[in-house]
Amino acid sequence: MTRPNLVFIMSDDHASHAISAYGSRINTTPHLDRIADGGMRLDAAFCTNSICAPSRAAILTGTYNHVNGVTTLDTHLDNSLWTFPKALQADGWQTAMFGKWHLGHGAAHDPTGFDNWRVLPGQGHYHNPVFVESDGSGGTSIVERGGYVTDLITDDCLDWLDARDPDRPFALFCHHKAPHRTWEPDAKHFTMYDDVDIAFPDTFRDDLAGRADVVQAVRMRMLDLDPVTDLKATVPPGLSVDEEIDWRYQRYIKDYLRVVASIDDNVGRMLDWLDANGLAENTIVVYTSDQGFFLGDHGWFDKRLMYEESLSMPLLIRYPAQIAAGSVSDDVVVNVDFGPTLLDMMGVEAAEHVQGRSFADVLHGRTPDDWPESMYYRYWMHDDDAHGVPAHYGVRTKTHKLICYYNDPLGQPGANGPADPVEWELFDLVADPVEVDNMWGRPGTERITAELRTELSRLQAAVGDEPYPTDD
Ligand code: CA
């Protein structure tokens, strides 16, 4: 078997519905679309916990967060754990990681499994960022650089590719900071969209009626954006509340899309390099993001909740030797599956304990008969000061979603008040794909509710997570 190369590009908070290959109504991404056109677009790729560090840990380790220990933003990756880049390195691949790591720093948390790495400390900065890099002998050093973060990370990737040993395969991890909050564009895209209004999502005016009380209380509305750091402007005087909400959306979404445009340009540079070096045929190219994002959907920004816009990950994979150009799949895959899948395609064994399952057959257009039709989700953080999103777990099938806001499992007060009662949401994704009609408790839903609760328990047991009391 030939040993393919891997270019794994992951951005931070890039929602599928801001990619034209996924039918975006608000922007175009011609270079990301090149990956989709030459490979497969996966329409049902989901994160198992919609928040940065936990999703990154799930991808690298092939395990759920209760197993890899990175359940929240405050937990760091134990870098002695098995990861799929380590498996590639051990089997002879040249490996490197550039960009956002966000899984902790220091001897116990720095990147491992990479011959070379240079990463942003914590969240990093958009302009003139500082990086931390391996000094090659177990220590680290700080690098100060002028320029724009998405360009610099790409520069590092291309420099490393140019300097690699051409006789050995490579696996390159390009992890962009963008388009994470606070959405700071570069000079090239600074005035993009100045003269246009961006379309509002259909659910922008969602009043959240009928949704769980804790969902109605989350602090991710347009009015929760910080005018100074998020919107970089002073709210114009004299606006009505609705006018201010609209104004805030335009400020927010334009900067988000400008930052995405830079990612798209830089993905183009990577693809051009592969073409120019004759490596497009034998290189697996992946584009994904650690989770989705609300782009004004339901009136929100940010992620965390199990709603579709946040749960869905963009996932585009091109590998001409194995994947038909322009193919599309709606099979359910999760971030825990990414590592085992890539190893499978590259002819490398995953560790025995890995929980993810290879979806290489899905990429080949041959979905196995026993392929899962549901997925398990759990968001562990509870009622943090900034966003106020409650802890919850749930199940998504091809047609329905059941979410349990179990809130604090120990009955302790959250950061912002007393312990909340357990609440549930039930959505019919066929009749109500935008999730505005919570059917929980409605007459006639007893049977589907029972089926979904059984499936939720089955999945919790299958991944080894603990059920919590849910006294509905
Ligand atoms: Ca993220």
Side-chain angles (χ1 to χ4, degrees):
M1 172 175 185
T2 56
R3 299 204 295 170
N5 306 303
L6 172 66
V7 171
F8 185 91
I9 308 172
M10 180 161 67
S11 56
D12 192 339
D13 295 0
H14 189 182
S16 308
H17 51 312
I19 295 176
S20 38
Y22 277 97
S24 170
R25 299 165 57 209
I26 55 175
N27 69 333
T28 56
T29 50
H31 297 293
L32 294 175
D33 295 1
R34 287 164 66 185
I35 305 174
D37 291 344
M40 180 175 277
R41 185 190 81 210
L42 290 105
D43 285 353
F46 302 115
C47 56
T48 49
N49 182 357
S50 182
I51 190 81
C52 303
S55 181
R56 288 154 196 276
I59 290 169
L60 287 170
T61 64
T63 60
Y64 286 78
N65 294 141
H66 62 279
V67 173
N68 61 50
V70 185
T71 51
T72 69
L73 287 181
D74 301 324
T75 48
H76 297 148
L77 182 69
D78 171 355
N79 65 9
S80 68
L81 294 176
W82 180 94
T83 66
F84 83 92
K86 283 185 187 178
L88 290 169
Q89 186 185 44
D91 238 359
W93 269 259
Q94 302 168 80
T95 57
M97 146 84 64
F98 296 107
K100 186 162 180 181
W101 172 246
H102 203 223
L103 287 164
H105 298 287
H109 308 297
D110 279 334
T112 49
F114 306 102
D115 305 342
N116 305 95
W117 55 266
R118 177 185 279 179
V119 299
L120 296 162
Q123 296 282 8
H125 291 97
Y126 274 103
H127 295 280
N128 300 336
V130 166
F131 288 83
V132 183
E133 68 179 1
S134 160
D135 65 9
S137 56
T140 60
S141 52
I142 298 288
V143 190
E144 290 188 49
R145 303 170 78 195
Y148 187 66
V149 70
T150 309
D151 297 334
L152 293 170
I153 292 167
T154 306
D155 291 347
D156 283 344
C157 289
L158 296 178
D159 288 347
W160 183 82
L161 286 169
D162 283 332
R164 83 196 190 288
D165 174 0
D167 296 326
R168 290 169 55 212
F170 63 83
L172 171 63
F173 294 79
C174 171
H175 288 194
H176 288 300
K177 165 187 174 57
H180 192 278
R181 196 177 190 174
T182 50
W183 316 295
E184 297 170 40
D186 63 344
K188 180 180 173 186
H189 302 94
F190 206 70
T191 59
M192 195 176 186
Y193 307 116
D194 261 5
D195 301 326
V196 295
D197 283 339
I198 307 295
F200 291 86
D202 291 342
T203 58
F204 187 66
R205 299 279 182 212
D206 184 0
D207 63 4
L208 305 178
R211 257 52 59 78
D213 288 347
V214 285
V215 169
Q216 297 191 38
V218 302
R219 292 183 287 280
M220 305 196 304
R221 300 160 303 170
M222 294 298 113
L223 290 171
D224 295 313
L225 288 162
D226 186 304
V228 176
T229 57
D230 292 328
L231 304 178
K232 304 109 189 163
T234 302
V235 179
L239 298 182
S240 69
V241 172
D242 277 352
E243 287 168 344
E244 180 177 340
I245 289 170
D246 289 358
W247 176 86
R248 282 170 172 265
Y249 169 75
Q250 294 294 335
R251 293 288 308 187
Y252 155 58
I253 201 66
K254 286 183 181 182
D255 273 348
Y256 182 94
L257 295 178
R258 289 165 181 144
V259 167
V260 166
S262 172
I263 294 176
D264 190 63
D265 287 352
N266 278 289
V267 168
R269 293 175 64 204
M270 301 278 279
L271 298 178
D272 289 347
W273 187 95
L274 292 172
D275 289 341
N277 287 273
L279 290 167
E281 288 295 312
N282 196 39
T283 300
I284 301 168
V285 177
V286 178
Y287 183 80
T288 189
S289 170
D290 53 358
Q291 8 62 212
F293 215 67
F294 294 107
L295 305 179
D297 313 280
H298 306 285
W300 292 323
F301 66 97
D302 216 80
K303 57 255 184 180
R304 301 162 194 273
L305 291 170
M306 199 189 164
Y307 285 40
E308 291 292 276
E309 297 86 353
S310 158
L311 179 69
S312 298
M313 307 170 78
L315 183 59
L316 307 172
I317 308 184
R318 187 184 81 177
Y319 182 35
Q322 294 187 17
I323 304 174
S327 51
V328 176
S329 172
D330 65 354
D331 288 318
V332 173
V333 305
V334 292
N335 54 0
V336 173
D337 300 330
F338 290 11
T341 301
L342 293 168
L343 291 183
D344 189 12
M345 295 171 75
M346 297 166 85
V348 176
E349 290 281 322
E352 195 69 27
H353 71 272
V354 163
Q355 295 179 292
R357 175 174 169 182
S358 168
F359 55 85
D361 285 339
V362 169
L363 296 173
H364 301 155
R366 299 190 300 268
T367 304
D369 290 341
D370 65 342
W371 191 256
E373 301 220 324
S374 64
M375 55 83 58
Y376 175 62
Y377 180 87
R378 183 170 178 187
Y379 176 76
W380 293 69
M381 293 170 68
H382 182 61
D383 197 14
D384 69 301
D385 285 326
H387 304 86
V389 173
H392 55 291
Y393 51 67
V395 57
R396 186 199 190 282
T397 68
K398 289 199 157 187
T399 57
H400 289 83
K401 186 182 291 179
L402 179 71
I403 310 172
C404 176
Y405 300 95
Y406 65 92
N407 295 324
D408 186 57
L410 302 177
Q412 300 296 319
N416 299 292
D420 296 303
V422 172
E423 293 183 89
W424 294 81
E425 289 180 333
L426 169 65
F427 296 106
D428 179 339
L429 300 176
V430 178
D432 174 35
V434 293
E435 299 166 304
V436 293
D437 184 20
N438 175 19
M439 305 191 300
W440 173 260
R442 187 174 299 169
T445 60
E446 296 84 356
R447 186 172 183 174
I448 185 67
T449 301
E451 287 173 9
L452 289 166
R453 289 189 70 156
T454 300
E455 180 64 2
L456 176 59
S457 297
R458 188 190 71 78
L459 288 171
Q460 274 190 325
V463 303
D465 200 7
E466 293 183 9
Y468 285 88
T470 48
D471 53 345
D472 57 304

